Amino acid sequence: MPPSGSEARGQPSGAVRPGGTPERDDALIRAVARAVEVTGAHAGSVFLVSPDRRSLVLSAVSGTPPSLLGGWRRIPVSSAIPVAVAYRSGRTVHLAGAEETTRRFPQLAMALPYSFGSASVQVRAGDSVFGSMAVVWSAGPDAEGLSKAQRRRLRATADRLGAALAELRARGALGESDAEAGPVAVPTRPAPAVRVGLFDWDLDSGALEADDELCAIFGLAPAAFDGRAATLAARIDDAGLPGLRSAARTAVEEGHVLAHALRIRDGGGHRTVELWGRVPDAPDEPRARAHLVGAVLDAGAGMAAVEAIERLADGFFALAPDGRVTYANHGLERLLRIRHDDLLGRRPWEVLPWLADPAYEDRYRATMVSQQPVSFLARRPPDQWLVFSLHPGSRGMTGWAARVTGPVPADAAPGAAVAEEAVVGTPPPAPRLGTLYRVLQLGSALTEAVTAHEVCDVVAEQLLTAFGGQRMALYLVSERRWQLLSQRGYPTGFLDRFEGSPLRAGVPVSDVLLAGAPLFIESRQEFARAYPGVRPSASCAWAFLPLISSSRPVGACVLGFDEPHRFPDGERDLLTALGGVIGHALRRARLYDAEFAVAHGLQDALLPHRLPTLPDVRVAGRYLPGTRGMDIGGDWYDVIPTRDRVALVVGDVEGHNVAAAAVMGQLRSAVRAFAAAGQQPGEVISRTNRLLLDLNPGPLASCCYLRLDAGSGAARLVLAGHCPPLLRRPGGDTEALDLPCGPLLGVAETAAYPECALRVAPGSIVALYTDGLVERRGSDITSGIDRLRTTLAHARAESLEELADRLLRDARRSPHRTDDIALLLSQYAPAPVR
């Protein structure tokens, strides 16, 4: 039985990786390897959703080292990045090459300015969505990406992984996604150049047991091998046989390991193999003393190639996928002036100070991501220029280095390309992978955040998921006192003691604002040394960031970590930059909140606070502001009793600002005055139209006016460019009333508004509404009216108030509704005649 994934990685059987189980790891490894295979990609990965479902955690990766993806191990679910979009939408996000990536995901293209294509798909099973899977391939200028068949096979692979994860979850063997534990590195297939054959050799009898690979090394068919050592000896060069027999006898007699080089016949020539053997256990048994067990290693032409490279003056080296040196010839030692042992297992830019410029690491990154060769210049102090060339492969990359003997341009910079066509992009010596994307992503999200509450949500989602924190607090400073604006992860009431406290030195959150510089504390011991008189929270590490906008203090942001957390220089610089971005966004949001409070107060004053109670007509009204923009508009409704009649009106003034609300208040007052004076419905609307033109000829408005006789159920209606009312009869039959409609208010002074007569049966319900309730992006308004008609026909409610809430249920759930909504329901319910 083959070893499990955990055993193959050197873990004890049954051991559980932090955040996962061996069975889950095995499922991820198989899925990623299969995804790379069916698409022909050079790299693949799986992101699983975190327990709080706020972020996607890198859980398995192949072809790209996890160290290269340090900035992408945790991705907010709401991010504009392909794996997150695929997770949210369930659609395949296919990007054929760099041009399409730039067009559809410009922020990602800026953070990864390399030539590559990618495809991301959702990992799900039934209604359960576990995460997403992605593959990456090298893409030239005219790349077409994956074929339809390859995309279909990729989705099938993701579906099989989803089914496997669902089965593990049902058995309680799934575990949780933990970014701190690190992703599973999916091993690549070993190179087929090296072959190993196993044997068991009885020196006394000459019997030899050999596996199929050993037979193949000696050029024999396994079925034709007769089990005799002499048969294999016939394939060995005659001059080497005596030395082999002598070395074998000595190894048996003295009990040491046999190591011997053999030349075996290969066609018309010879090739060299290595034989390694030892005496098996139980040496006291007579049979064991005459036995050797071991292996024959056939490295092909590899050893000869290594010997040839070692004789060259130029430098040759090999890098693992994570950038560590796995091989370096003596020429590279002399060229870089570094000991062989100091270079192996290390990244060149970590051990050579003159290669520490980020431009050099970026060249390596470009090679790994794009899988295209890169050549560049580097200056070894004091003034020797070297040329490096990197050639990628599935198991890392091969490199070559040599002295530059020709002239070097005076303005040559670190990492300058030797040949522009050989360089994949020309990115600047920028921050490490993912850093630029974090700034762009947070800036983009904060641009869309309007209110201070939305800014807080964005900051919590982006910062906590990006840096792995567990707690966040946002403070505002007003009149030199602290005001808690938002918090995540703290126990209820824990931060209340800081509310309203003065801005004074000796407290971390105050010190960062007074000094204008961030403060990073990596452990509780460090906190105790810096602030011995301050009781810390339950965190073990903190980042205190000042929020400053236009040189004015706005507040402070505190990030807390459950474990001690080291803040490297790059992370400190990034958090400092993000603090400035947050400060600007928070200041803008506070100005918006102040303006909104004024606008909302105006609108609230103009709408009816309470509808009248009528003897024979029940009414229910609702106003729902838009969820984006100023949250204020010109929609209104009103109920106007007049003797034995009642007037019901719904209107909509164009625009979403304070001016629209002001015009709405004027129109509502005008309609109420004309109706109370006993004017006919058509005359009420005509006079309102003329008044609108006299007051302000700019905005237009629509209106629906219905006058109902409470005694007889007779009604008269007038429409001015408005949606048709809905009528639900006592039996449930519901229709949109097809009535003649006059023009919008404010178009023409001589406009005519025809009246229509209607008989309302007892128990009937009339719905008047504005277009915000029936308009949807990508759908015409007629379809929206029909959807509302269907909902009204089948809605079951105990009261008119409950019915109004049911009709607005979908609208309340929409997070990005741009238009406001007014709804007025009336039910004709005359008292029975005694």
Side-chain angles (χ1 to χ4, degrees):
M1 176 178 293
S4 68
S6 59
E7 295 168 342
R9 287 185 297 277
Q11 297 179 18
S13 178
V16 179
R17 289 179 68 254
T21 66
E23 292 173 293
R24 191 196 76 168
D25 291 350
D26 292 343
L28 294 176
I29 290 172
R30 288 191 295 268
V32 174
R34 176 65 176 168
V36 171
E37 178 184 353
V38 300
T39 59
H42 71 261
S45 56
V46 171
F47 291 80
L48 298 182
V49 66
S50 60
D52 59 8
R53 312 198 71 80
R54 289 166 47 192
S55 56
L56 296 172
V57 178
L58 180 64
S59 302
V61 62
S62 172
T64 302
S67 60
L68 190 65
L69 299 174
W72 307 91
R73 290 194 180 185
R74 187 191 295 268
I75 297 174
V77 166
S78 60
S79 295
I81 193 171
V83 290
V85 173
Y87 169 79
R88 296 194 307 269
S89 66
R91 297 189 301 269
T92 299
V93 180
H94 179 254
L95 304 172
E99 182 178 351
E100 187 175 4
T101 302
T102 302
R103 186 179 70 253
R104 296 176 56 186
F105 296 91
Q107 296 173 351
L108 177 63
M110 289 182 65
L112 291 172
Y114 315 124
S115 180
F116 66 93
S118 66
S120 303
V121 295
Q122 190 184 68
V123 176
R124 69 177 301 157
D127 295 332
S128 299
V129 182
F130 294 96
S132 55
M133 171 186 289
V135 292
V136 176
W137 60 87
S138 176
D142 301 322
E144 297 181 356
L146 302 182
S147 65
K148 291 184 178 179
Q150 287 174 316
R151 280 178 266 175
R152 184 171 61 251
R153 289 193 287 268
L154 178 62
R155 288 191 293 267
T157 302
D159 290 342
R160 283 194 291 271
L161 174 59
L165 296 179
E167 191 271 335
L168 291 175
R169 185 179 62 183
R171 294 193 288 107
L174 181 58
E176 294 182 348
S177 301
D178 183 5
E180 298 301 324
V184 177
V186 180
T188 56
R189 292 185 177 181
V194 178
R195 296 184 297 174
V196 179
L198 305 179
F199 66 85
D200 185 337
W201 182 11
D202 188 331
L203 273 66
D204 289 340
S205 67
L208 189 144
E209 298 179 14
D211 65 357
D212 292 351
E213 192 66 28
L214 184 71
C215 294
I217 291 173
F218 279 82
L220 296 174
F225 178 56
D226 57 6
R228 298 172 57 247
T231 304
L232 296 182
R235 308 287 299 173
I236 300 176
D237 180 50
D238 293 339
L241 276 175
L244 171 63
R245 294 192 183 102
S246 175
R249 286 293 179 186
T250 302
V252 168
E253 292 171 0
E254 298 181 3
H256 63 248
V257 174
L258 169 65
H260 198 79
L262 296 176
R263 285 167 51 84
I264 60 177
R265 296 185 177 91
D266 184 9
H270 294 79
R271 73 177 187 277
T272 301
V273 298
E274 296 180 7
L275 185 146
W276 295 77
R278 65 173 179 85
V279 177
D281 295 336
D284 295 336
E285 297 182 10
R287 182 177 181 277
R289 289 198 300 270
H291 270 254
L292 280 177
V293 293
V296 173
L297 175 67
D298 180 11
M303 295 303 299
V306 170
E307 292 176 2
I309 291 175
E310 289 293 337
R311 291 192 291 269
L312 297 177
D314 290 341
F316 290 88
F317 57 94
L319 299 180
D322 63 357
R324 299 180 188 276
V325 178
T326 57
Y327 168 76
N329 72 339
H330 290 298
L332 187 71
E333 269 189 282
R334 294 188 294 269
L335 200 63
L336 301 184
R337 298 176 181 174
I338 185 173
R339 293 177 60 250
H340 186 270
D341 294 342
D342 294 336
L343 189 59
L344 285 183
R346 308 282 297 279
R347 297 180 178 90
W349 50 86
E350 294 177 346
V351 295
L352 295 168
W354 51 275
L355 282 179
D357 192 299
Y360 300 123
E361 184 182 356
D362 192 75
R363 293 302 183 192
Y364 150 76
R365 184 183 304 123
T367 308
M368 285 301 302
V369 174
S370 68
Q371 288 292 289
Q372 297 183 18
V374 169
S375 298
F376 58 91
L377 296 174
R379 186 171 66 88
R380 187 195 67 195
D383 56 2
Q384 178 63 61
W385 284 88
L386 306 178
V387 57
F388 287 84
S389 182
L390 303 178
H391 297 264
S394 61
R395 298 170 57 81
M397 66 180 69
T398 302
W400 166 78
R403 290 182 176 88
V404 177
T405 57
V408 177
D411 58 349
V418 174
E420 192 64 27
E421 64 272 15
V423 179
V424 183
T426 55
R432 295 179 180 271
L433 182 64
T435 298
L436 179 60
Y437 179 81
R438 294 297 180 197
V439 177
L440 294 172
Q441 174 68 12
L442 180 61
S444 176
L446 288 176
T447 300
E448 298 180 3
V450 177
T451 66
H453 177 73
E454 291 176 350
V455 169
C456 295
D457 287 343
V458 168
V459 172
E461 180 178 318
Q462 295 288 331
L463 289 190
L464 291 180
T465 55
F467 296 96
Q470 287 73 42
R471 297 173 185 84
M472 186 217 71
L474 267 178
Y475 287 96
L476 292 177
V477 61
S478 177
E479 297 180 355
R480 298 187 63 83
R481 290 187 176 274
W482 289 111
Q483 173 190 348
L484 179 63
L485 185 61
S486 177
Q487 66 91 13
R488 299 286 192 281
Y490 287 95
T492 302
F494 178 83
L495 299 178
D496 291 348
R497 57 195 173 109
F498 300 108
E499 186 69 20
S501 58
L503 181 63
R504 58 182 176 83
V507 179
V509 71
S510 295
D511 285 350
V512 298
L513 204 59
L514 292 172
L519 173 64
F520 301 97
I521 299 179
E522 299 180 340
S523 66
R524 295 182 69 87
Q525 293 79 7
E526 184 178 344
F527 188 98
R529 289 193 299 269
Y531 295 96
V534 179
R535 181 167 65 93
S537 64
S539 300
C540 294
W542 298 263
F544 298 92
L545 308 176
L547 306 181
I548 299 175
S549 176
S550 301
S551 301
R552 297 179 58 185
V554 176
C557 176
V558 182
L559 291 182
F561 300 80
D562 280 345
E563 302 293 335
H565 183 88
R566 192 176 71 84
F567 297 95
D569 291 342
E571 190 170 296
R572 294 185 180 215
D573 293 342
L574 176 58
L575 284 169
T576 303
L578 294 179
V581 175
I582 297 168
H584 286 294
L586 200 54
R587 184 173 179 226
R588 172 178 49 80
R590 292 184 68 191
L591 293 174
Y592 169 86
D593 288 341
E595 294 176 2
F596 170 72
V598 175
H600 186 75
L602 171 62
Q603 187 175 42
D604 187 60
L606 296 175
L607 288 172
H609 290 185
R610 184 175 59 184
L611 296 178
T613 301
L614 306 172
D616 297 319
V617 180
R618 302 191 185 110
V619 290
R622 294 289 187 274
Y623 173 78
L624 206 61
T627 58
R628 307 299 296 173
M630 278 297 293
D631 291 351
I632 183 172
D635 289 19
W636 92 92
Y637 63 87
D638 205 354
V639 178
I640 310 166
T642 58
R643 300 183 181 177
D644 56 349
R645 296 171 179 172
V646 60
L648 309 171
V649 59
V650 164
D652 183 2
V653 178
E654 66 175 350
H656 298 85
N657 48 42
V658 176
V663 173
M664 175 267 286
Q666 293 171 327
L667 293 185
R668 176 173 175 252
S669 299
V671 171
R672 174 172 282 272
F674 295 143
Q679 300 290 332
Q680 293 297 317
E683 187 63 21
V684 170
I685 301 303
S686 295
R687 290 194 173 189
T688 303
N689 173 56
R690 291 192 293 271
L691 178 64
L692 178 59
L693 288 168
D694 292 339
L695 291 174
N696 190 347
L700 303 178
S702 67
C703 184
C704 177
Y705 183 93
L706 181 148
R707 190 185 69 185
L708 178 64
D709 189 325
S712 63
R716 300 193 68 83
L717 291 94
V718 177
L719 290 180
H722 202 82
C723 304
L726 302 179
L727 174 63
R728 188 175 89 170
R729 296 181 174 84
D733 180 47
T734 305
E735 65 172 319
L737 300 177
D738 186 10
L739 306 173
C741 184
L744 290 168
L745 302 177
V747 173
E749 187 174 353
T750 58
Y753 297 96
E755 294 184 15
C756 301
L758 176 70
R759 178 70 63 177
V760 180
S764 297
I765 295 176
V766 179
L768 310 183
Y769 54 93
T770 55
D771 56 6
L773 184 58
V774 292
E775 281 187 328
R776 288 187 183 178
R777 181 174 298 178
S779 176
D780 60 82
I781 193 170
T782 304
S783 300
I785 293 173
D786 190 62
R787 284 192 299 268
L788 181 62
R789 180 196 61 79
T790 303
T791 303
L792 179 61
H794 298 92
R796 296 293 176 264
E798 297 295 331
S799 66
L800 213 59
E801 298 288 341
E802 183 181 348
L803 179 60
D805 291 334
R806 286 184 177 272
L807 295 181
L808 291 178
R809 181 174 55 187
D810 291 341
R812 292 184 188 277
R813 294 175 178 174
S814 175
H816 301 292
R817 187 183 64 260
T818 57
D819 203 359
D820 46 349
I821 296 171
L823 172 67
L824 181 61
L825 299 181
S826 61
Q827 183 177 31
Y828 180 45
V833 179
R834 295 184 178 178

